[in-house]
Amino acid sequence: MSLRECFTRAYDLNVAGTNVVTWTYIPLLLKSSSPRILFLAGLSHMTQAAESYFPTPTQPAGWPKTIDFETIGYRCSKTALSMLMLDWAHKLRADGVKAFSVSPGFCATGLGNLGADAMAAMGAVHPSEGARRLVSVAEGARDADSGKILDKIGFLPW
């Protein structure tokens, strides 16, 4: 797919779609005695922007670049999703809604047409480990960190 299509599809699903669904169900959420919104930060929050994070090798000098597996649209959309969380946290603070951007970590899910075994060889953990992190936030274990990007080692401070 083209670079533009890479971004358009990722933002449509991860940002626009998430925002529309959230907007639609806020009236139900506000009826909860302990309302929380969890956005999945994914692999792409800024603490993982080190060289070791990129799934493709460093590109040689010159132009054009040949990139067989482009992930920049997805990663940028996940970073934008964390901004969306900040916006919802701000909008719903007076309503007592807690909002989080939670990273389940690098899980062997097969995302990106990579097999779970290949992902595990790259250091991915079983998806149940990521699920445990999400469930603990949903159950209130991290309520003091509302409005933050949470990962396995803590949170990304603003």
Side-chain angles (χ1 to χ4, degrees), residues 19-85:
N19 195 46
V20 169
V21 168
T22 302
W23 182 273
T24 301
Y25 288 100
I26 289 297
L28 291 175
L29 182 71
L30 293 176
K31 293 178 181 182
S32 172
S33 61
S34 186
R36 290 179 190 84
I37 302 174
L38 278 67
F39 296 92
L40 268 68
L43 300 173
S44 303
H45 58 81
M46 298 305 290
T47 61
Q48 293 178 329
E51 190 67 28
S52 63
Y53 169 69
F54 291 92
T56 56
T58 301
Q59 298 294 303
W63 194 259
K65 304 293 185 192
T66 302
I67 302 171
D68 296 326
F69 181 67
E70 183 58 80
T71 60
I72 191 65
Y74 171 78
R75 291 180 311 187
C76 287
S77 76
K78 287 298 197 164
T79 300
L81 188 57
S82 290
M83 178 53 80
L84 187 63
M85 176 277 298

Side-chain angles (χ1 to χ4, degrees), residues 19 23 84-95 97:
N19 195 46
W23 182 273
L84 187 63
M85 176 277 298
L86 290 173
D87 185 67
W88 279 109
H90 175 75
K91 283 178 180 157
L92 298 174
R93 187 169 289 123
D95 295 294
V97 176

